[in-house]
Amino acid sequence: ESKWRGDESENGSKSDEKRNNANANCGNAALMRAIVCAGLYPRVCKVEKTRAKSGSYEKLMTGGANNEQQLVFMHPSSVNRRPALGPRDGWYVYEQKFETSKLFVSGTTRTSPHALLLFGAKSDEISIEKVAQTGGVTLGAAGVRIRTDRETAMLMKLMQQQLAKLFLLKAK
């Protein structure tokens, strides 16, 4: 007999079914990265590979107060550093930023600009008019600018509204 009431059904265990439902998206790496983005925002940096006379190198920039950008380096212990190749271009969220010999970020996770817009942008930051004028959205809390088009900005704003409604419904 099960020690938990209602734990078993005729066709198997309810707890197995619940466990399978809870793990339904465990293989969806993009979703997992978006969830991490939501949790770590506004700690955002962008990696851009640039060419220098001495070869190529990575430039990681984080936003800051008053949209001041800071040059940072991915910590040598980071799995995203990839010693031979360096980190891939794109957006990352990070757990911490600290200074030793250089200013480092650690605990990095690659994320998408869509996740940053969806989970990071405030509703008033996603302005279709501003996107039409500037070609992007500036995320004030992170101090970064994300290039996007009007259609994507509109979609992100609508998705934010729907998520807010869903959260309110679930909270009741």
Side-chain angles (χ1 to χ4, degrees), residues 34-69:
I35 291 168
V36 171
C37 174
L40 292 179
Y41 183 84
R43 294 177 294 239
V44 177
C45 64
K46 185 174 186 184
V47 174
E48 294 177 347
K49 292 226 174 145
T50 56
R51 301 284 289 166
K53 291 179 182 177
S54 60
S56 67
Y57 64 95
E58 298 82 36
K59 182 169 86 171
L60 281 76
M61 300 300 288
T62 64
N66 303 320
N67 291 332
E68 295 172 7
Q69 301 240 319

Side-chain angles (χ1 to χ4, degrees), residues 11-141:
N11 297 332
S13 167
K14 283 186 181 178
S15 61
D16 285 344
E17 184 179 328
K18 287 180 183 178
R19 191 174 318 120
N20 289 339
N21 287 339
N23 291 321
N25 290 301
C26 68
N28 187 339
L31 177 62
M32 295 297 128
R33 286 192 298 267
I35 291 168
V36 171
C37 174
L40 292 179
Y41 183 84
R43 294 177 294 239
V44 177
C45 64
K46 185 174 186 184
V47 174
E48 294 177 347
K49 292 226 174 145
T50 56
R51 301 284 289 166
K53 291 179 182 177
S54 60
S56 67
Y57 64 95
E58 298 82 36
K59 182 169 86 171
L60 281 76
M61 300 300 288
T62 64
N66 303 320
N67 291 332
E68 295 172 7
Q69 301 240 319
Q70 291 181 302
L71 178 64
V72 297
F73 297 88
M74 207 164 280
H75 194 267
S77 67
S78 175
V79 296
N80 287 311
R81 187 157 183 250
R82 302 184 321 159
L85 304 171
R88 292 188 292 175
D89 281 2
W91 294 100
Y92 290 81
V93 289
Y94 59 89
E95 288 183 59
Q96 58 182 318
K97 179 170 50 172
F98 57 93
E99 190 164 4
T100 55
S101 59
K102 298 177 184 175
L103 189 57
F104 288 106
V105 292
S106 69
T108 58
T109 299
R110 188 169 163 77
T111 193
S112 73
H114 297 116
L116 289 169
L117 288 171
L118 184 61
F119 296 115
K122 294 179 183 172
S123 181
D124 62 332
E125 289 176 329
I126 301 179
S127 162
I128 308 307
E129 294 79 27
K130 285 182 187 175
V131 169
Q133 293 171 355
T134 65
V137 174
T138 299
L139 305 179

